DNA sequence: GGTGTTCGCTCCATCGACAG
DNA sequence: CTGTCGATGGAGCGAACACC
């Protein structure tokens, strides 16, 4: 049995609004996460989605602690440093699992999540991350509701991409020349109880 | 052997792309 | 709009060949 959290962060500002490069200076408006348990065959036993506004972050941290994997898209490069100023413990030291980095390791380039969602899940994003910031800045009830929905949708898409790799062992996307690419990936957990641990293939 | 032209390789700089 | 990196293209230098 493994416990996992799939998460996504939306920020209050854009890089153009701040000086420097630290995502921690953008501020976080909302965090959505999908907490679940899966069995040894990676079948989901149970799972539920939760969203946390800034004031609720103190209740959120315990959910991240003690899980086997914290899954995100570009989460090591963006979401985790964005949340860092809010955490009073070493959040970045938890077992983060960044799907974008795994794709980059094999394919050699950074691929937008939308490109993968489109070809792999046949699913399209209707809003962009920029709109998430505008929703926050607008601040009325309806905009905030759309912000939460957007963030949760992003988490679900991330989860579905992750599950697709677990099940099928590859991802599809179109590169910038519009050529369909297939990248083979292995997201399975290391078999700690296996007598012959795989060291590497030559 | 000396000189001139062309081809190729390497390195550096600029560009683009990801996240919001 | 930014930092980080991979990709891409241009420039410069060196080697090789050919012709006088």
């Amino acid at each position: 049995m493994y416990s996992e959290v799939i998460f996504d962060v939306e920020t209050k500002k854009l890089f153009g609004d701040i000086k420097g490069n630290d995502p921690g200076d953008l501020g976080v408006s909302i965090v959505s996460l999908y907490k679940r348990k899966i069995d040894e065959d990676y079948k989901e036993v149970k799972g539920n989605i939760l969203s946390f506004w800034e004031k609720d972050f103190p209740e959120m941290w315990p959910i991240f602690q003690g899980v086997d994997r914290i899954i995100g898209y570009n989460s090591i490069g963006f979401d985790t440093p964005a949340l860092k100023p809010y955490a009073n413990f070493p959040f970045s030291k938890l077992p983060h699992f960044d799907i974008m980095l795994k794709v980059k390791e094999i394919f050699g380039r950074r691929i937008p999540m939308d490109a993968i969602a489109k070809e792999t899940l046949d699913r399209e994003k209707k809003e962009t991350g920029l709109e998430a910031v505008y929703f926050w800045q607008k601040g009325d009830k309806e905009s905030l509701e759309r912000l939460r929905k957007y963030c949760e949708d992003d988490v679900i898409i991330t989860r579905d991409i992750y599950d697709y790799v677990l099940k099928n062992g590859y991802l599809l996307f179109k590169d910038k020349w519009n050529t369909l690419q297939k990248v083979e990936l292995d997201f399975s957990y290391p078999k700690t109880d296996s007598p012959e641990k795989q060291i590497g293939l030559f």
Side-chain angles (χ1 to χ4, degrees):
Chain A
M1 193 85 102
Y2 303 106
S3 60
E4 298 179 330
V5 167
I6 299 136
F7 82 118
D8 188 42
V9 160
E10 307 301 327
T11 60
K12 297 177 179 178
K13 295 178 186 173
L14 303 175
F15 280 112
D17 303 328
I18 61 167
K19 223 178 86 184
N21 64 308
D22 186 1
D25 292 336
L26 294 171
V28 174
S29 56
I30 190 168
V31 178
S32 292
L33 59 86
Y34 188 81
K35 179 183 171 59
R36 71 173 182 183
K37 293 218 184 304
I38 55 173
D39 64 20
E40 304 301 322
D41 299 320
Y42 307 132
K43 277 246 281 285
E44 187 171 304
V45 178
K46 64 169 185 176
N48 60 304
I49 195 152
L50 296 164
S51 291
F52 296 89
W53 300 101
E54 188 175 356
K55 64 177 171 51
D56 304 318
F57 287 171
E59 304 158 35
M60 171 181 78
W61 300 119
I63 298 173
F64 283 106
Q65 287 164 325
V67 299
D68 296 301
R69 262 183 194 169
I70 298 171
I71 299 139
Y73 201 90
N74 197 21
S75 53
I76 290 176
F78 187 81
D79 301 59
T80 303
L83 272 176
K84 202 181 172 210
Y86 296 93
N88 56 357
F89 70 102
F91 180 59
S92 60
K93 297 288 192 294
L94 299 178
H96 287 279
F97 187 96
D98 188 334
I99 296 174
M100 194 190 78
L101 285 185
K102 301 288 174 190
V103 175
K104 205 193 96 185
E105 273 173 29
I106 306 297
F107 189 66
R109 318 191 39 163
R110 308 166 82 194
I111 303 300
M113 185 170 81
D114 203 28
I116 294 172
K118 213 167 158 181
E119 304 304 325
T120 306
L121 307 175
D122 194 25
R123 193 165 172 165
E124 228 165 323
K125 250 173 141 174
K126 43 242 166 273
E127 332 259 21
T128 75
L130 294 167
E131 284 170 281
V133 175
Y134 300 145
F135 286 152
W136 170 257
Q137 286 172 353
K138 217 168 160 214
D140 61 281
K141 199 174 173 186
E142 192 202 327
S143 296
L144 293 178
E145 185 53 31
R146 288 176 73 182
L147 171 60
R148 186 183 61 80
K149 179 83 168 52
Y150 170 78
C151 194
E152 291 183 0
D153 279 352
D154 247 16
V155 170
I156 297 299
I157 292 170
T158 308
R159 180 201 65 185
D160 289 347
I161 289 172
Y162 175 78
D163 280 345
Y164 190 93
V165 176
L166 273 182
K167 190 180 163 198
N168 301 294
Y170 68 89
L171 281 177
L172 297 171
F173 58 89
K174 279 186 179 160
D175 63 20
K176 65 174 172 180
W177 299 280
N178 221 30
T179 307
L180 190 65
Q181 299 280 350
K182 181 176 175 177
V183 171
E184 310 227 353
L185 295 161
D186 183 5
F187 284 0
S188 56
Y189 281 81
K191 296 256 190 301
T192 47
D193 53 354
S194 170
E196 282 180 280
K197 203 180 164 192
Q198 281 202 353
I199 307 295
L201 299 168
F202 292 93

